[in-house]
Amino acid sequence: MSQVVVVDKPTNFIRNIIDKDLSQQLHNTIKTRFPPEPNGYLHIGHAKSICLNFGLAEDYDGKCNLRFDDTNPTKEDIEFVGSIKKDISWLGFGWAGESNFSSNYFAKFYAYAIELIEKGLAFVDFSSADEIKQLRGNLTESGKNSPYRDTSVEENLEHFKKMSSGEYKEGQCVLRAKINMSSSFMCMRDPAMYRIKFAHHHQTGDDWCIYPMYDFAHCLSDAIENITHSLCTLEFQDNRRLYDWLLEHIDEFNKPNRPHQYEFSRLNLAYTVMSKRKLQQLVEDDLVSGWDDPRMPTISGMRRRGYTPRSIRNFAERIGISKVDSMTEMSVLEASVRDDLNLIAPRTMAVIEPIKVIIENYMNAGVEKIQAPKHSQDETMGKREIHFSSELYIDKADFIETAPNKKWKRLAIGKEVRLRNSYVIKAERFDIDKNNEITTIYCSYDLATLGKNPSDGRRVNGVIHFVEATTAVNAQFNLYDRLFNIENPIKAENFAEVINPDSLVVKNGFVEPSMQNAVAEQAYQFEREGYFCRDNKSKELVFNKTIALRDTWSK
Ligand code: ATP
Ligand code: MG
């Protein structure tokens, strides 16, 4: 028996159930599944489910299947199948064997439907959708039986075959399970199992004109694949009754080690939306540049933004698994990526809003080379070469004519600051243009301060970043912030009105020459500015801001 005891992960109610099932030898090993509908790109909520399902399989030495839940041919697209696989692999997970499709099992589903009809447990209903709705009742009122409920088995078999061979029109009839019209669970009031749809399917082409309902297909797919623990979000809690009923009424699956469904609470994140339908709307309304816009909570958008797989997996670990519905603060996600990037991102300098600095007492000809560490706490990352000369760029925000108070740690006339990894400079005077904008700052530098404090004991408080001007490389910076300016945008009537207008600010500035060949998606820390990564779609040197160095939101 391959039971693995996991000690380093916090336990949760699902792990407790698995531990019990394994110790009672209900199963020898576990098999979970991740069942996305290929109707959109995966988002951070899916990542929670992926980390849970694939993570459990890893920890318990079991397996996790990837199954595309493709029972809704009109809404699905093969494009999404590829993107979903790519995203799961990028997160570092692998599924057992080939990926599966619910549609692989259409022939089996059909046979199970026949079994139910033969047992007198399903019937073809010719009532209109409205009539069915009328008779369903509601939470306080019991439903009423359909006039077609007592059709004979033979007739039902006949009708169902005709449904599947295209002899009835779309909407003319549905196959319903015969359960209990007065159940307190609405999903048990003779739920529909099959509907007619003359739709082309991306996997099965025109083979079928009837398609199974989600509730029917899902539990049967789990059972066909020998899934042990079928994990889904809380909104399917009631549907568990139907899940169990169906498996208990199909002979092949009515056994103790059949799959069981367990529900956990879904991820809700403040300041964003997660439903694929809503994300699609953002794309269609051109409010973002696509599913992989770095502001999107999609895996592909987060990858482009500079999130690492580990930061997402750590986030899933931090939020844990429970049955309590809650709203997770964006700062929890942001802290996960910040913590990861702090460890792995090489340091470098970029000037995002450049202003020219001339060092007037710099007497050397040409450019001086300085070795700077790639990471001040991790020597193993090695060094990079930076440059210094009489012409530099610093950031506009790092200079003011007159320091407002003694706490000012940046440059001001008559004040000294250290240029990061380099010398101490002092601002002497500046030029302005006709709009009163500062164009050039003239400074002096202290030759004796490279890597040392001034020898006469003067204290220099501030450190600012810079790049040498003649070797600096042009770069574009996409400064991202949260997409929405309200905590719960799902409630907004019009997304355009609640989009944060500063969610993308584009700037043109300079980076060190060592950044010329920056690798796409590789994280860097632009010192004092934040974590950035090179955009994976632009040929030019474009850097996307992943996250600021510190949390500026929760203040
Ligand atoms: P959406 O509403 O975003 O379209 P969905 O549930 O329709 O999501 P599916 O493709 O059917 O999307 O989901 C695949 C799996 O991911 C399901 O098991 C579902 O429960 C899970 N999942 C989807 N959204 C979340 C979320 N926000 N938190 C946790 N799990 C989620
Ligand atoms: Mg769905």
Side-chain angles (χ1 to χ4, degrees), residues 131-146 149 176 179-186 188-190:
E131 287 162 344
I132 290 179
K133 202 171 157 204
Q134 288 291 316
L135 292 181
R136 188 175 288 131
N138 54 41
L139 287 175
T140 51
E141 223 174 282
S142 149
K144 294 192 183 72
N145 287 349
S146 157
R149 202 176 198 265
R176 297 176 71 180
I179 308 181
N180 178 3
M181 288 307 289
S182 52
S183 170
S184 52
F185 297 101
M186 295 300 287
M188 298 298 271
R189 295 188 184 174
D190 293 3

PDB file of all heavy atoms in Angstrom, residues 131-146 149 176 179-186 188-190:
ATOM      1  N   GLU A 131     -43.436  24.727 -18.910  1.00  0.00           N
ATOM      2  CA  GLU A 131     -44.279  23.787 -18.150  1.00  0.00           C
ATOM      3  C   GLU A 131     -43.449  23.050 -17.098  1.00  0.00           C
ATOM      4  O   GLU A 131     -43.886  22.871 -15.962  1.00  0.00           O
ATOM      5  CB  GLU A 131     -44.930  22.777 -19.114  1.00  0.00           C
ATOM      6  CG  GLU A 131     -46.050  23.388 -19.957  1.00  0.00           C
ATOM      7  CD  GLU A 131     -46.405  22.550 -21.193  1.00  0.00           C
ATOM      8  OE1 GLU A 131     -45.617  21.653 -21.587  1.00  0.00           O
ATOM      9  OE2 GLU A 131     -47.462  22.810 -21.767  1.00  0.00           O
ATOM     10  N   ILE A 132     -42.251  22.681 -17.496  1.00  0.00           N
ATOM     11  CA  ILE A 132     -41.383  21.971 -16.535  1.00  0.00           C
ATOM     12  C   ILE A 132     -41.084  22.882 -15.348  1.00  0.00           C
ATOM     13  O   ILE A 132     -41.130  22.475 -14.190  1.00  0.00           O
ATOM     14  CB  ILE A 132     -40.089  21.480 -17.229  1.00  0.00           C
ATOM     15  CG1 ILE A 132     -40.427  20.342 -18.206  1.00  0.00           C
ATOM     16  CG2 ILE A 132     -39.055  21.029 -16.197  1.00  0.00           C
ATOM     17  CD1 ILE A 132     -39.257  19.767 -18.979  1.00  0.00           C
ATOM     18  N   LYS A 133     -40.836  24.128 -15.666  1.00  0.00           N
ATOM     19  CA  LYS A 133     -40.515  25.099 -14.617  1.00  0.00           C
ATOM     20  C   LYS A 133     -41.713  25.276 -13.673  1.00  0.00           C
ATOM     21  O   LYS A 133     -41.571  25.281 -12.442  1.00  0.00           O
ATOM     22  CB  LYS A 133     -40.162  26.428 -15.288  1.00  0.00           C
ATOM     23  CG  LYS A 133     -39.338  27.330 -14.408  1.00  0.00           C
ATOM     24  CD  LYS A 133     -38.837  28.531 -15.197  1.00  0.00           C
ATOM     25  CE  LYS A 133     -38.527  29.654 -14.242  1.00  0.00           C
ATOM     26  NZ  LYS A 133     -38.587  30.960 -14.883  1.00  0.00           N
ATOM     27  N   GLN A 134     -42.890  25.406 -14.282  1.00  0.00           N
ATOM     28  CA  GLN A 134     -44.129  25.561 -13.511  1.00  0.00           C
ATOM     29  C   GLN A 134     -44.298  24.445 -12.481  1.00  0.00           C
ATOM     30  O   GLN A 134     -44.669  24.681 -11.340  1.00  0.00           O
ATOM     31  CB  GLN A 134     -45.357  25.518 -14.450  1.00  0.00           C
ATOM     32  CG  GLN A 134     -45.525  26.752 -15.319  1.00  0.00           C
ATOM     33  CD  GLN A 134     -45.909  27.947 -14.482  1.00  0.00           C
ATOM     34  OE1 GLN A 134     -46.749  27.843 -13.607  1.00  0.00           O
ATOM     35  NE2 GLN A 134     -45.265  29.085 -14.737  1.00  0.00           N
ATOM     36  N   LEU A 135     -44.056  23.217 -12.940  1.00  0.00           N
ATOM     37  CA  LEU A 135     -44.307  22.057 -12.082  1.00  0.00           C
ATOM     38  C   LEU A 135     -43.193  21.797 -11.075  1.00  0.00           C
ATOM     39  O   LEU A 135     -43.343  20.981 -10.182  1.00  0.00           O
ATOM     40  CB  LEU A 135     -44.513  20.799 -12.940  1.00  0.00           C
ATOM     41  CG  LEU A 135     -45.797  20.764 -13.795  1.00  0.00           C
ATOM     42  CD1 LEU A 135     -45.869  19.458 -14.574  1.00  0.00           C
ATOM     43  CD2 LEU A 135     -47.043  20.921 -12.922  1.00  0.00           C
ATOM     44  N   ARG A 136     -42.075  22.500 -11.254  1.00  0.00           N
ATOM     45  CA  ARG A 136     -40.947  22.201 -10.378  1.00  0.00           C
ATOM     46  C   ARG A 136     -41.176  22.669  -8.936  1.00  0.00           C
ATOM     47  O   ARG A 136     -40.592  22.147  -8.002  1.00  0.00           O
ATOM     48  CB  ARG A 136     -39.658  22.824 -10.923  1.00  0.00           C
ATOM     49  CG  ARG A 136     -38.433  22.362 -10.131  1.00  0.00           C
ATOM     50  CD  ARG A 136     -37.119  22.861 -10.701  1.00  0.00           C
ATOM     51  NE  ARG A 136     -36.786  22.183 -11.938  1.00  0.00           N
ATOM     52  CZ  ARG A 136     -36.409  22.799 -13.046  1.00  0.00           C
ATOM     53  NH1 ARG A 136     -36.343  24.107 -13.080  1.00  0.00           N
ATOM     54  NH2 ARG A 136     -36.104  22.115 -14.123  1.00  0.00           N
ATOM     55  N   GLY A 137     -42.064  23.671  -8.770  1.00  0.00           N
ATOM     56  CA  GLY A 137     -42.289  24.215  -7.428  1.00  0.00           C
ATOM     57  C   GLY A 137     -41.136  25.111  -7.036  1.00  0.00           C
ATOM     58  O   GLY A 137     -40.368  25.571  -7.895  1.00  0.00           O
ATOM     59  N   ASN A 138     -41.015  25.368  -5.756  1.00  0.00           N
ATOM     60  CA  ASN A 138     -39.896  26.200  -5.300  1.00  0.00           C
ATOM     61  C   ASN A 138     -39.483  25.749  -3.900  1.00  0.00           C
ATOM     62  O   ASN A 138     -39.913  24.695  -3.436  1.00  0.00           O
ATOM     63  CB  ASN A 138     -40.289  27.686  -5.331  1.00  0.00           C
ATOM     64  CG  ASN A 138     -41.564  27.932  -4.545  1.00  0.00           C
ATOM     65  OD1 ASN A 138     -41.748  27.352  -3.472  1.00  0.00           O
ATOM     66  ND2 ASN A 138     -42.448  28.759  -5.086  1.00  0.00           N
ATOM     67  N   LEU A 139     -38.688  26.566  -3.250  1.00  0.00           N
ATOM     68  CA  LEU A 139     -38.126  26.122  -1.972  1.00  0.00           C
ATOM     69  C   LEU A 139     -39.187  25.871  -0.904  1.00  0.00           C
ATOM     70  O   LEU A 139     -38.999  25.058  -0.008  1.00  0.00           O
ATOM     71  CB  LEU A 139     -37.097  27.145  -1.467  1.00  0.00           C
ATOM     72  CG  LEU A 139     -35.773  27.136  -2.237  1.00  0.00           C
ATOM     73  CD1 LEU A 139     -34.856  28.251  -1.781  1.00  0.00           C
ATOM     74  CD2 LEU A 139     -35.068  25.784  -2.107  1.00  0.00           C
ATOM     75  N   THR A 140     -40.330  26.575  -1.027  1.00  0.00           N
ATOM     76  CA  THR A 140     -41.370  26.388  -0.007  1.00  0.00           C
ATOM     77  C   THR A 140     -42.497  25.478  -0.490  1.00  0.00           C
ATOM     78  O   THR A 140     -43.290  24.981   0.292  1.00  0.00           O
ATOM     79  CB  THR A 140     -41.986  27.745   0.393  1.00  0.00           C
ATOM     80  OG1 THR A 140     -42.361  28.425  -0.804  1.00  0.00           O
ATOM     81  CG2 THR A 140     -40.995  28.579   1.184  1.00  0.00           C
ATOM     82  N   GLU A 141     -42.541  25.280  -1.806  1.00  0.00           N
ATOM     83  CA  GLU A 141     -43.654  24.530  -2.369  1.00  0.00           C
ATOM     84  C   GLU A 141     -43.146  23.285  -3.086  1.00  0.00           C
ATOM     85  O   GLU A 141     -42.227  23.382  -3.908  1.00  0.00           O
ATOM     86  CB  GLU A 141     -44.339  25.422  -3.409  1.00  0.00           C
ATOM     87  CG  GLU A 141     -45.854  25.399  -3.361  1.00  0.00           C
ATOM     88  CD  GLU A 141     -46.359  26.427  -4.344  1.00  0.00           C
ATOM     89  OE1 GLU A 141     -46.330  27.638  -4.023  1.00  0.00           O
ATOM     90  OE2 GLU A 141     -46.738  26.005  -5.454  1.00  0.00           O
ATOM     91  N   SER A 142     -43.722  22.188  -2.792  1.00  0.00           N
ATOM     92  CA  SER A 142     -43.306  20.952  -3.437  1.00  0.00           C
ATOM     93  C   SER A 142     -43.657  20.984  -4.931  1.00  0.00           C
ATOM     94  O   SER A 142     -44.582  21.685  -5.336  1.00  0.00           O
ATOM     95  CB  SER A 142     -43.996  19.818  -2.685  1.00  0.00           C
ATOM     96  OG  SER A 142     -44.245  18.763  -3.539  1.00  0.00           O
ATOM     97  N   GLY A 143     -42.927  20.216  -5.743  1.00  0.00           N
ATOM     98  CA  GLY A 143     -43.227  20.171  -7.171  1.00  0.00           C
ATOM     99  C   GLY A 143     -44.334  19.170  -7.480  1.00  0.00           C
ATOM    100  O   GLY A 143     -44.827  18.485  -6.581  1.00  0.00           O
ATOM    101  N   LYS A 144     -44.726  19.132  -8.758  1.00  0.00           N
ATOM    102  CA  LYS A 144     -45.758  18.169  -9.172  1.00  0.00           C
ATOM    103  C   LYS A 144     -45.203  17.295 -10.287  1.00  0.00           C
ATOM    104  O   LYS A 144     -44.378  17.742 -11.077  1.00  0.00           O
ATOM    105  CB  LYS A 144     -46.989  18.912  -9.686  1.00  0.00           C
ATOM    106  CG  LYS A 144     -47.688  19.704  -8.600  1.00  0.00           C
ATOM    107  CD  LYS A 144     -49.066  20.170  -9.088  1.00  0.00           C
ATOM    108  CE  LYS A 144     -49.742  21.039  -8.037  1.00  0.00           C
ATOM    109  NZ  LYS A 144     -49.086  22.385  -7.937  1.00  0.00           N
ATOM    110  N   ASN A 145     -45.688  16.072 -10.325  1.00  0.00           N
ATOM    111  CA  ASN A 145     -45.186  15.143 -11.337  1.00  0.00           C
ATOM    112  C   ASN A 145     -45.538  15.598 -12.746  1.00  0.00           C
ATOM    113  O   ASN A 145     -46.627  16.115 -12.995  1.00  0.00           O
ATOM    114  CB  ASN A 145     -45.776  13.751 -11.117  1.00  0.00           C
ATOM    115  CG  ASN A 145     -45.143  13.085  -9.909  1.00  0.00           C
ATOM    116  OD1 ASN A 145     -44.141  13.573  -9.367  1.00  0.00           O
ATOM    117  ND2 ASN A 145     -45.726  11.973  -9.487  1.00  0.00           N
ATOM    118  N   SER A 146     -44.639  15.338 -13.650  1.00  0.00           N
ATOM    119  CA  SER A 146     -44.890  15.633 -15.064  1.00  0.00           C
ATOM    120  C   SER A 146     -45.925  14.640 -15.595  1.00  0.00           C
ATOM    121  O   SER A 146     -45.933  13.474 -15.182  1.00  0.00           O
ATOM    122  CB  SER A 146     -43.588  15.484 -15.836  1.00  0.00           C
ATOM    123  OG  SER A 146     -43.861  15.248 -17.194  1.00  0.00           O
ATOM    124  N   ARG A 149     -44.425  11.371 -16.727  1.00  0.00           N
ATOM    125  CA  ARG A 149     -43.610  10.625 -15.763  1.00  0.00           C
ATOM    126  C   ARG A 149     -43.904   9.123 -15.778  1.00  0.00           C
ATOM    127  O   ARG A 149     -43.032   8.306 -15.472  1.00  0.00           O
ATOM    128  CB  ARG A 149     -43.861  11.185 -14.359  1.00  0.00           C
ATOM    129  CG  ARG A 149     -42.717  10.890 -13.371  1.00  0.00           C
ATOM    130  CD  ARG A 149     -43.028  11.556 -12.056  1.00  0.00           C
ATOM    131  NE  ARG A 149     -41.843  11.690 -11.217  1.00  0.00           N
ATOM    132  CZ  ARG A 149     -41.493  10.836 -10.267  1.00  0.00           C
ATOM    133  NH1 ARG A 149     -42.243   9.794 -10.016  1.00  0.00           N
ATOM    134  NH2 ARG A 149     -40.399  11.033  -9.564  1.00  0.00           N
ATOM    135  N   ARG A 176     -35.319  12.989 -18.374  1.00  0.00           N
ATOM    136  CA  ARG A 176     -35.227  13.372 -16.957  1.00  0.00           C
ATOM    137  C   ARG A 176     -35.093  12.140 -16.079  1.00  0.00           C
ATOM    138  O   ARG A 176     -35.638  11.083 -16.390  1.00  0.00           O
ATOM    139  CB  ARG A 176     -36.502  14.127 -16.529  1.00  0.00           C
ATOM    140  CG  ARG A 176     -36.706  15.429 -17.264  1.00  0.00           C
ATOM    141  CD  ARG A 176     -38.018  16.088 -16.871  1.00  0.00           C
ATOM    142  NE  ARG A 176     -38.007  16.617 -15.512  1.00  0.00           N
ATOM    143  CZ  ARG A 176     -39.049  17.238 -14.944  1.00  0.00           C
ATOM    144  NH1 ARG A 176     -40.200  17.357 -15.610  1.00  0.00           N
ATOM    145  NH2 ARG A 176     -38.966  17.712 -13.727  1.00  0.00           N
ATOM    146  N   ILE A 179     -36.902  10.971  -9.822  1.00  0.00           N
ATOM    147  CA  ILE A 179     -36.427  10.879  -8.428  1.00  0.00           C
ATOM    148  C   ILE A 179     -37.545  11.254  -7.455  1.00  0.00           C
ATOM    149  O   ILE A 179     -38.261  10.397  -6.982  1.00  0.00           O
ATOM    150  CB  ILE A 179     -35.144  11.713  -8.199  1.00  0.00           C
ATOM    151  CG1 ILE A 179     -34.076  11.352  -9.266  1.00  0.00           C
ATOM    152  CG2 ILE A 179     -34.561  11.432  -6.811  1.00  0.00           C
ATOM    153  CD1 ILE A 179     -32.762  12.090  -9.139  1.00  0.00           C
ATOM    154  N   ASN A 180     -37.740  12.544  -7.228  1.00  0.00           N
ATOM    155  CA  ASN A 180     -38.723  12.894  -6.199  1.00  0.00           C
ATOM    156  C   ASN A 180     -39.097  14.359  -6.347  1.00  0.00           C
ATOM    157  O   ASN A 180     -38.310  15.240  -6.014  1.00  0.00           O
ATOM    158  CB  ASN A 180     -38.108  12.625  -4.816  1.00  0.00           C
ATOM    159  CG  ASN A 180     -39.050  13.013  -3.689  1.00  0.00           C
ATOM    160  OD1 ASN A 180     -40.192  13.438  -3.924  1.00  0.00           O
ATOM    161  ND2 ASN A 180     -38.567  12.873  -2.466  1.00  0.00           N
ATOM    162  N   MET A 181     -40.330  14.614  -6.816  1.00  0.00           N
ATOM    163  CA  MET A 181     -40.746  15.990  -7.072  1.00  0.00           C
ATOM    164  C   MET A 181     -41.021  16.769  -5.792  1.00  0.00           C
ATOM    165  O   MET A 181     -41.256  17.967  -5.839  1.00  0.00           O
ATOM    166  CB  MET A 181     -41.967  16.043  -7.998  1.00  0.00           C
ATOM    167  CG  MET A 181     -41.668  15.691  -9.443  1.00  0.00           C
ATOM    168  SD  MET A 181     -40.318  16.643 -10.188  1.00  0.00           S
ATOM    169  CE  MET A 181     -41.070  18.269 -10.334  1.00  0.00           C
ATOM    170  N   SER A 182     -41.002  16.084  -4.643  1.00  0.00           N
ATOM    171  CA  SER A 182     -41.198  16.873  -3.422  1.00  0.00           C
ATOM    172  C   SER A 182     -39.933  16.895  -2.557  1.00  0.00           C
ATOM    173  O   SER A 182     -39.980  17.271  -1.390  1.00  0.00           O
ATOM    174  CB  SER A 182     -42.411  16.362  -2.637  1.00  0.00           C
ATOM    175  OG  SER A 182     -42.278  14.972  -2.452  1.00  0.00           O
ATOM    176  N   SER A 183     -38.802  16.534  -3.155  1.00  0.00           N
ATOM    177  CA  SER A 183     -37.537  16.600  -2.403  1.00  0.00           C
ATOM    178  C   SER A 183     -37.272  18.041  -1.981  1.00  0.00           C
ATOM    179  O   SER A 183     -37.625  18.990  -2.688  1.00  0.00           O
ATOM    180  CB  SER A 183     -36.385  16.113  -3.277  1.00  0.00           C
ATOM    181  OG  SER A 183     -35.153  16.397  -2.649  1.00  0.00           O
ATOM    182  N   SER A 184     -36.657  18.204  -0.816  1.00  0.00           N
ATOM    183  CA  SER A 184     -36.306  19.571  -0.405  1.00  0.00           C
ATOM    184  C   SER A 184     -35.094  20.070  -1.190  1.00  0.00           C
ATOM    185  O   SER A 184     -34.778  21.251  -1.146  1.00  0.00           O
ATOM    186  CB  SER A 184     -36.046  19.624   1.098  1.00  0.00           C
ATOM    187  OG  SER A 184     -35.113  18.625   1.434  1.00  0.00           O
ATOM    188  N   PHE A 185     -34.429  19.178  -1.886  1.00  0.00           N
ATOM    189  CA  PHE A 185     -33.338  19.610  -2.772  1.00  0.00           C
ATOM    190  C   PHE A 185     -33.888  19.757  -4.180  1.00  0.00           C
ATOM    191  O   PHE A 185     -34.299  18.768  -4.798  1.00  0.00           O
ATOM    192  CB  PHE A 185     -32.183  18.604  -2.743  1.00  0.00           C
ATOM    193  CG  PHE A 185     -31.555  18.491  -1.392  1.00  0.00           C
ATOM    194  CD1 PHE A 185     -31.868  17.433  -0.555  1.00  0.00           C
ATOM    195  CD2 PHE A 185     -30.674  19.472  -0.939  1.00  0.00           C
ATOM    196  CE1 PHE A 185     -31.298  17.341   0.710  1.00  0.00           C
ATOM    197  CE2 PHE A 185     -30.102  19.388   0.317  1.00  0.00           C
ATOM    198  CZ  PHE A 185     -30.422  18.321   1.154  1.00  0.00           C
ATOM    199  N   MET A 186     -33.890  20.988  -4.674  1.00  0.00           N
ATOM    200  CA  MET A 186     -34.467  21.243  -5.994  1.00  0.00           C
ATOM    201  C   MET A 186     -33.830  20.359  -7.071  1.00  0.00           C
ATOM    202  O   MET A 186     -34.491  19.937  -8.008  1.00  0.00           O
ATOM    203  CB  MET A 186     -34.292  22.719  -6.378  1.00  0.00           C
ATOM    204  CG  MET A 186     -35.034  23.703  -5.498  1.00  0.00           C
ATOM    205  SD  MET A 186     -36.832  23.450  -5.508  1.00  0.00           S
ATOM    206  CE  MET A 186     -37.239  24.064  -7.146  1.00  0.00           C
ATOM    207  N   MET A 188     -33.081  17.445  -7.016  1.00  0.00           N
ATOM    208  CA  MET A 188     -33.585  16.073  -7.023  1.00  0.00           C
ATOM    209  C   MET A 188     -34.992  15.987  -7.620  1.00  0.00           C
ATOM    210  O   MET A 188     -35.571  14.910  -7.727  1.00  0.00           O
ATOM    211  CB  MET A 188     -33.603  15.501  -5.603  1.00  0.00           C
ATOM    212  CG  MET A 188     -32.228  15.418  -4.965  1.00  0.00           C
ATOM    213  SD  MET A 188     -31.141  14.320  -5.866  1.00  0.00           S
ATOM    214  CE  MET A 188     -31.521  12.760  -5.046  1.00  0.00           C
ATOM    215  N   ARG A 189     -35.578  17.118  -7.981  1.00  0.00           N
ATOM    216  CA  ARG A 189     -36.937  17.097  -8.554  1.00  0.00           C
ATOM    217  C   ARG A 189     -36.858  16.740 -10.040  1.00  0.00           C
ATOM    218  O   ARG A 189     -36.902  17.607 -10.907  1.00  0.00           O
ATOM    219  CB  ARG A 189     -37.626  18.439  -8.322  1.00  0.00           C
ATOM    220  CG  ARG A 189     -37.839  18.688  -6.818  1.00  0.00           C
ATOM    221  CD  ARG A 189     -38.684  19.898  -6.534  1.00  0.00           C
ATOM    222  NE  ARG A 189     -38.754  20.106  -5.080  1.00  0.00           N
ATOM    223  CZ  ARG A 189     -39.319  21.150  -4.508  1.00  0.00           C
ATOM    224  NH1 ARG A 189     -39.883  22.099  -5.257  1.00  0.00           N
ATOM    225  NH2 ARG A 189     -39.343  21.251  -3.202  1.00  0.00           N
ATOM    226  N   ASP A 190     -36.686  15.486 -10.292  1.00  0.00           N
ATOM    227  CA  ASP A 190     -36.623  14.928 -11.647  1.00  0.00           C
ATOM    228  C   ASP A 190     -35.740  15.769 -12.582  1.00  0.00           C
ATOM    229  O   ASP A 190     -36.210  16.306 -13.598  1.00  0.00           O
ATOM    230  CB  ASP A 190     -38.042  14.788 -12.232  1.00  0.00           C
ATOM    231  CG  ASP A 190     -38.855  13.740 -11.470  1.00  0.00           C
ATOM    232  OD1 ASP A 190     -38.328  13.181 -10.475  1.00  0.00           O
ATOM    233  OD2 ASP A 190     -40.001  13.492 -11.873  1.00  0.00           O
TER     234      ASP A 190
END
